[in-house]
Amino acid sequence: MKYYSTRDKSKSHPFNLADAAFAGLAPDGGLFMPERIPVVDMARVETEAAKSYADMACYLAGLLFDDVPAADLERVVRDAYDFPIELHHIAENYSTLELFHGPTYAFKDFGARFMGRMVGLLNNGGPLTILTATSGDTGSAVAHGFYDVEGVRVVILYPEGKVSPLQEAQMTTLGKNIYPLGVKGNFDDCQRLVKAMFCNEELRSQVRITSANSINLLRWIPQSFYYFYGYCAWKSTTGRDMPVVVVPSGNYGNLTAGMLARSMGLPIKGFVAASNANDVVPKFLLTEKYYPRASVRTLANAMDVGDPSNFERMMALCGGDVAALKGAVKGFSCSDDEILAAINEIYERYDYLSDPHSAVGYLASKHYGVDGFWLSTAHAAKFSEVTKAATMQDAPLPDKLSAMLDKQRSFEPMEAEDGALVDYLRRL
Ligand SMILES: *Cc1c(COP(=O)(O)O)cnc(C)c1O
C-alpha cells in the first residue's frame, strides 16, 4: 500500500508507510490517505470481534498496512489494545461506545498507542526523538502511547503551572523514555519552541526529531477500527442493523476515521457531527460554505477547533461530492449551558456520569432520535470540575488515575528560549 497527500490529485508522489508516518503532514501541506480503500469481509469482522478487539484489529490493520509483516503487525496490535472497550446501554434507545478505558482515559489512546508501537517498529535509523508541545491532554496521550517503546524518546513541552494536576501527573510520573519539560511560559511559547527546532537544520542534522500530532496517518487509521467493533456489539445486543453513529468532534480525525470504515464496507447508515459552539462543519453541512474561524473556548475544550485539519480528509473521502457527504453526515452544535444541562439530565434520569464531550454526543442523539450509538470520548473524572458543576457529584477517580496523583513527579524546568532547548536535545 502506498499513501498519497490529499492535495496530490494526480497521485504523482507516492509515499511508503514509514516516510508518510515520519513526515506527519505531507510536504505539500495535505494529509496522507491510503492509495485505495480496501474492502472488508464483514462476516470475518464479526467472527474476529466476537473473539476480542485485538483479533478484529489485527484483521483490519492487515488490510490497511499490507506491507508490514503480519507477525509484526499482530505484536503491535495486541500490545496496543490491552484495555477494555464497552458498548454501554444507558437506557432504551440510548447506547454509547465507551472509548475511555485506556491508560489516559480518553479515546486518543486508540490512535496514540498504535502509533507509538508502529513507529518503534518502522524506525531503523537509530534513536528517534518525538518532540511535542501540549496544553495538557495531547502530551499525556503521546507520552503513554510511546512509553517504553524501544529506540524512541519523547520530549514533551508543557507550560509549567498551567496544566491541571491530573494532566501534569500523567506526563511527569512515567519516567523511562519520557522526558517532560516544564516551560516557563505559556502554551504558545511551547509551540514556538517546537517549531523552531523543526526549522533548525543544524540541529536536525545531529538529532533525529519527528512529531506525533493527531493528523499523522498512524494515529488516524486505527481510529477506524472501533467503529467496526461498536457496530458488532450494537448489532449483537440489539438485533438491529445499520446504526447511525454520533461523533463528538473537534479536529474531525475521529469522524473521518468513521467515514473510512464506512467506505471499507461497514454497514452504518451515517454519522452525526456533534460539535460545541465551534460549528464550522455543521454550518458547512447546511450552507455548503466553509468559513474557518478562531476557536472559542467551551466546557468541552478538546473540541475547541475553529479550522479542523481533517476537513480535507472529509472531502477526500466523499470524492468531493458534497451532496453525498450531506446524505451521510448530519451536523449538530450546542452551547455550554446545554452541555451542563445534558450532563445533569443523564445523571438524574439514567444515573450515569458523563464528561462534557460525550454529553454533546448524547444531546445530538436525542436531537435526531438516533437509532444507533454515540461515542464517549473521555472519562467523566478527567473533567470532574464540569461534571461536578452540573450534577453536584464527584466523579469517582479510577484507581490508576488516583495512584498516579500520588506518584513522585519529575520534570526538567526550561526557559522559553530556543538555545536552552537546543542544548537539552543535544545532551539527551
Ligand atoms: C480530541 C478529543 C475530541 C475531538 O476529537 P477529534 O478527532 O479532534 O474530532 C473529543 N473529545 C475528547 C475528549 C478529545 O480528547
Side-chain angles (χ1 to χ4, degrees):
M1 180 81 83
K2 296 285 181 219
Y3 306 86
Y4 287 91
S5 165
T6 44
R7 296 188 188 173
D8 180 9
K9 303 286 182 218
S10 59
K11 292 201 172 179
S12 44
H13 296 98
F15 283 70
N16 68 28
L17 180 59
D19 291 340
F22 290 121
L25 197 67
D28 63 6
L31 280 71
F32 284 110
M33 302 285 291
E35 66 180 319
R36 65 190 152 74
I37 309 276
V39 176
V40 292
D41 170 357
M42 277 310 297
R44 173 86 191 271
V45 169
E46 289 183 40
T47 311
E48 299 295 339
K51 291 183 209 158
S52 74
Y53 187 81
D55 281 289
M56 181 208 71
C58 281
Y59 166 60
L60 295 169
L63 299 176
L64 285 148
F65 304 107
D66 57 2
D67 297 332
V68 180
D72 289 340
L73 204 52
E74 175 159 358
R75 217 167 348 99
V76 163
V77 166
R78 294 202 186 275
D79 199 38
Y81 300 127
D82 62 352
F83 55 88
I85 168 172
E86 193 192 330
L87 183 72
H88 192 100
H89 299 287
I90 290 170
E92 182 72 29
N93 295 328
Y94 284 112
S95 304
T96 182
L97 185 65
E98 293 181 348
L99 300 173
F100 53 70
H101 298 291
T104 73
Y105 296 90
F107 87 98
K108 288 193 176 68
D109 286 331
F110 281 89
R113 282 175 71 81
F114 183 87
M115 177 178 181
R117 281 146 189 80
M118 283 291 270
V119 165
L121 181 73
L122 297 172
N123 175 37
N124 52 15
L128 180 70
T129 299
I130 306 283
L131 190 59
T132 185
T134 183
S135 55
D137 261 346
T138 317
S140 61
V142 171
H144 285 259
F146 284 84
Y147 179 62
D148 218 7
V149 171
E150 223 179 280
V152 181
R153 336 178 249 227
V154 180
V155 174
I156 310 170
L157 284 78
Y158 70 95
E160 202 210 324
K162 297 194 176 74
V163 301
S164 77
L166 195 62
Q167 288 171 332
E168 190 179 63
Q170 286 188 304
M171 294 184 277
T172 60
T173 60
L174 285 167
K176 281 201 178 165
N177 61 331
I178 309 301
Y179 300 88
L181 302 179
V183 173
K184 298 198 175 77
N186 55 27
F187 173 56
D188 293 335
D189 293 316
C190 298
Q191 266 194 316
R192 182 173 50 74
L193 284 167
V194 166
K195 273 207 183 122
M197 298 308 111
F198 283 112
C199 294
N200 185 332
E201 294 303 330
E202 193 196 344
L203 175 74
R204 298 197 69 173
S205 68
Q206 299 156 339
V207 184
R208 288 179 71 222
I209 54 177
T210 187
S211 70
N213 54 31
S214 69
I215 48 93
N216 194 296
L217 91 165
L218 287 179
R219 278 182 65 177
W220 179 62
I221 287 181
Q223 295 186 148
S224 63
F225 304 165
Y226 47 70
Y227 286 86
F228 289 91
Y229 192 83
Y231 166 84
C232 294
W234 192 77
K235 189 179 167 200
S236 70
T237 49
T238 65
R240 300 202 293 274
D241 209 339
M242 298 295 282
V244 169
V245 184
V246 179
V247 189
S249 294
N251 209 24
Y252 283 84
N254 197 354
L255 192 138
T256 50
M259 289 173 67
L260 172 65
R262 188 167 179 264
S263 306
M264 290 168 73
L266 179 66
I268 49 189
K269 187 153 177 241
F271 303 93
V272 180
S275 74
N276 55 26
N278 296 281
D279 61 351
V280 274
V281 170
K283 281 242 166 77
F284 171 79
L285 292 166
L286 282 179
T287 63
E288 300 188 19
K289 295 204 169 55
Y290 185 74
Y291 290 124
R293 290 190 310 236
S295 63
V296 296
R297 266 197 88 70
T298 75
L299 294 174
N301 59 29
M303 298 170 14
D304 293 347
V305 182
D307 185 9
S309 319
N310 285 290
F311 186 70
E312 286 200 30
R313 281 193 171 122
M314 190 177 267
M315 295 310 289
L317 282 161
C318 68
D321 181 349
V322 177
L325 182 69
K326 287 166 75 173
V329 186
K330 303 281 173 243
F332 175 82
S333 75
C334 61
S335 67
D336 275 356
D337 286 344
E338 289 170 308
I339 292 175
L340 285 172
I343 296 171
N344 183 262
E345 182 174 300
I346 303 166
Y347 178 68
E348 294 294 336
R349 287 195 190 159
Y350 311 118
D351 195 24
Y352 181 84
L353 281 175
S354 175
D355 98 286
H357 307 82
S358 311
V360 175
Y362 164 80
L363 273 180
S365 302
K366 188 175 156 185
H367 176 80
Y368 283 109
V370 154
D371 188 26
F373 54 90
W374 72 93
L375 305 183
S376 277
T377 52
H379 193 291
K382 283 199 90 170
F383 296 88
S384 52
E385 326 79 62
V386 183
T387 306
K388 184 157 188 181
T391 61
M392 302 305 185
Q393 299 299 312
D394 282 308
L397 212 54
D399 292 346
K400 268 192 268 172
L401 275 184
S402 53
M404 217 173 258
L405 278 174
D406 294 336
K407 277 197 200 150
Q408 180 71 36
R409 295 176 197 192
S410 132
F411 64 90
E412 185 121 350
M414 169 114 350
E415 298 295 333
E417 290 164 8
D418 294 3
L421 184 57
V422 170
D423 286 345
Y424 179 84
L425 292 171
R426 284 207 179 114
R427 272 187 286 116
L428 197 69

